Amino acid sequence: MISPMDVKFAVIGAGNGGLAMAGYLAYRGFSVNLYNRTYSKIEGLAKNPYINLSGSIEGSGKINLATSDIKEAIRGTDVIMITTPATGHYELACLIAPYLEDGQVIVLNPGRTGGALEVYETLRSNGCTKDITVAEAQTFIYACRAIGPQSAKIFSVKNEVALAAIPATRTMEVIELLSEAYPQFTPANSVMETSLNNFGAIFHPAPTLLNSGHIERGQTFEYYIEGITPSIGQMLEKLDSERMQVAMALGVKTISARKWLEESYGAKGDTLYEAIQNNSAYKGLTAPKGLNTRYIYEDVPCSLVPIASIAEELGIETPAIDTIIRLANIITGENFIEKGRTVEKLGLKGLSASQIIEFAQTGDLVAATHRNVEVVAL
């Protein structure tokens, strides 16, 4: 196995997260190729390959390559860190499938819900027969912003981020491979655990859609503190309850959104609304400036739709989640169910709960469909 000190990285996407990640890895001395679909965005880096970092991490890193050629970007690398929005995961998987090499590891930062499953299934359906591991982080490791074409500010670095691979038997190998660059990654039991502990599914689409009037008028307000009222808080609790029902059916370890706020921020309350109001970290965070936001266009198709689709496959009703998806469709004119991560796109169509667990553990669809394992709460 390659030494964690010698890992060669490809970072896919030169947006906020990608620029910060590529800069950090280069600053730490790793070999980094940076890919962006639009060359004009990275043209400066191609000529002068330095990324400047400020904030929690101060310094500069020299990247190995900046390119809009995906084949060139991933050639000879060990880890492919995908930092694009989850809505781009499918197209990227199609794009890289012909050029992947045996032993490479793909990490989605983050996967949202079903990201690793979607990429894994897409590689398979596009004829990729290489020995590839696909992993997903539960959330992005930085709070960061690009502040120029060659500069990024890292506001904070998370102390711990759960990560899982498909097959799950390789999770610890991925953790070890990334350990020198990112010791914050900790193992989750499977990609079903990282996927169903996606709290953005609860906190992003519903408050945005239910405050659409204020947002469209351009009214500035605090997204969490003012945008989440007691009645919207009740809606979030129903969404969260349905998410947890799906997790429970799959034996996935999860906690409520209210408990997550307590564990992550020390914010307590008898209701989710109260816990949000008591979270000092949310104070001052303003709402999106318009409805063309990732809170809808990413979190509905890549967070809520897969939860609803898996629930339907398992015979679980999700009326609250279904309502928010339909509302998003009506308000935007999009069909997020058609565009989103359904069980067909995740390779889970026709599988029982036990077979889904088996597939996540082994990555072997044939074995999963021929075995009937007992669901055990993890």
Side-chain angles (χ1 to χ4, degrees):
M1 183 177 175
I2 187 170
S3 165
M5 290 288 295
D6 299 325
V7 176
K8 295 179 180 178
F9 289 91
V11 175
I12 309 301
N16 294 318
L19 200 63
M21 181 168 279
Y24 167 78
L25 290 169
Y27 165 74
R28 286 290 313 280
F30 292 98
S31 172
V32 184
N33 295 345
L34 178 62
Y35 167 86
N36 197 70
R37 181 178 58 182
T38 306
Y39 182 72
S40 59
K41 190 169 185 178
I42 54 169
E43 187 173 4
L45 280 169
K47 297 174 181 175
N48 179 31
Y50 287 89
I51 299 174
N52 300 309
L53 300 175
S54 59
S56 295
I57 300 168
E58 298 275 348
S60 179
K62 182 182 181 181
I63 63 173
N64 179 59
L65 175 72
T67 180
S68 57
D69 182 332
I70 194 68
K71 181 179 180 180
E72 188 180 22
I74 68 174
R75 183 193 296 131
T77 60
D78 305 299
V79 178
I80 301 167
M81 301 290 266
I82 295 179
T83 67
T84 62
T87 48
H89 289 169
Y90 170 77
E91 287 184 5
L92 272 171
C94 293
L95 190 64
I96 65 176
Y99 309 119
L100 289 167
E101 303 164 10
D102 282 327
Q104 286 182 314
V105 174
I106 298 169
V107 183
L108 307 178
N109 296 276
R112 299 301 176 198
T113 299
L117 288 168
E118 181 182 44
V119 169
Y120 191 85
E121 169 63 16
T122 304
L123 294 179
R124 240 175 22 93
S125 62
N126 277 268
C128 179
T129 58
K130 301 295 184 181
D131 182 18
I132 304 298
T133 303
V134 182
E136 65 180 21
Q138 186 174 316
T139 186
F140 197 67
I141 196 161
Y142 305 129
C144 57
R145 288 289 182 273
I147 55 175
Q150 295 181 231
S151 302
K153 183 172 184 178
I154 297 177
F155 296 95
S156 62
V157 184
K158 294 181 175 65
N159 293 326
E160 187 174 292
V161 174
L163 180 143
I166 180 168
T169 50
R170 294 187 179 179
T171 295
M172 287 310 301
E173 292 178 21
V174 178
I175 296 284
E176 175 62 25
L177 192 63
L178 297 172
S179 61
E180 184 62 32
Y182 292 112
Q184 297 92 340
F185 284 129
T186 59
N189 285 306
S190 76
V191 294
M192 299 313 301
E193 183 176 318
T194 48
S195 285
L196 289 170
N197 281 294
N198 171 13
F199 293 100
I202 309 305
F203 290 117
H204 292 166
T208 303
L209 290 162
L210 297 176
N211 281 283
S212 58
H214 294 315
I215 291 172
E216 284 195 303
R217 279 195 298 271
Q219 181 176 335
T220 299
F221 64 95
E222 293 195 23
Y223 179 78
Y224 294 98
I225 303 303
E226 296 178 303
I228 299 177
T229 61
S231 58
I232 291 177
Q234 280 192 329
M235 182 63 170
L236 301 191
E237 297 223 35
K238 291 185 183 300
L239 294 170
D240 198 43
S241 174
E242 293 173 3
R243 174 190 66 85
M244 293 182 71
Q245 285 180 53
V246 177
M248 189 179 302
L250 292 168
V252 170
K253 181 175 67 176
T254 189
I255 58 174
S256 69
R258 182 164 62 90
K259 187 66 176 175
W260 177 76
L261 286 174
E262 182 179 342
E263 290 188 359
S264 300
Y265 298 102
K268 299 180 181 181
D270 291 335
T271 64
L272 184 55
Y273 165 74
E274 288 181 3
I276 290 167
Q277 297 303 307
N278 292 331
N279 185 5
S280 59
Y282 283 166
K283 295 187 187 303
L285 296 178
T286 56
K289 300 301 182 184
L291 294 182
N292 186 20
T293 168
R294 66 181 179 87
Y295 284 8
I296 296 175
Y297 284 85
E298 180 179 24
D299 283 300
V300 174
C302 298
S303 296
L304 289 183
V305 167
I307 295 173
S309 186
I310 293 169
E312 184 178 11
E313 193 70 15
L314 299 179
I316 299 170
E317 294 186 355
T318 54
I321 291 176
D322 295 343
T323 296
I324 296 301
I325 294 170
R326 291 193 186 102
L327 184 59
N329 287 348
I330 292 167
I331 285 180
T332 65
E334 301 282 351
N335 186 337
F336 289 117
I337 296 174
E338 185 178 285
K339 293 183 174 183
R341 290 174 172 167
T342 59
V343 287
E344 290 85 358
K345 293 177 183 175
L346 301 181
L348 304 180
K349 181 64 178 175
L351 300 188
S352 65
S354 60
Q355 289 169 335
I356 290 173
I357 294 168
E358 175 76 0
F359 179 42
Q361 288 292 326
T362 66
D364 188 336
L365 187 60
V366 174
T369 54
H370 286 83
R371 286 187 61 183
N372 205 7
V373 295
E374 181 182 356
V375 178
V376 180
L378 301 173

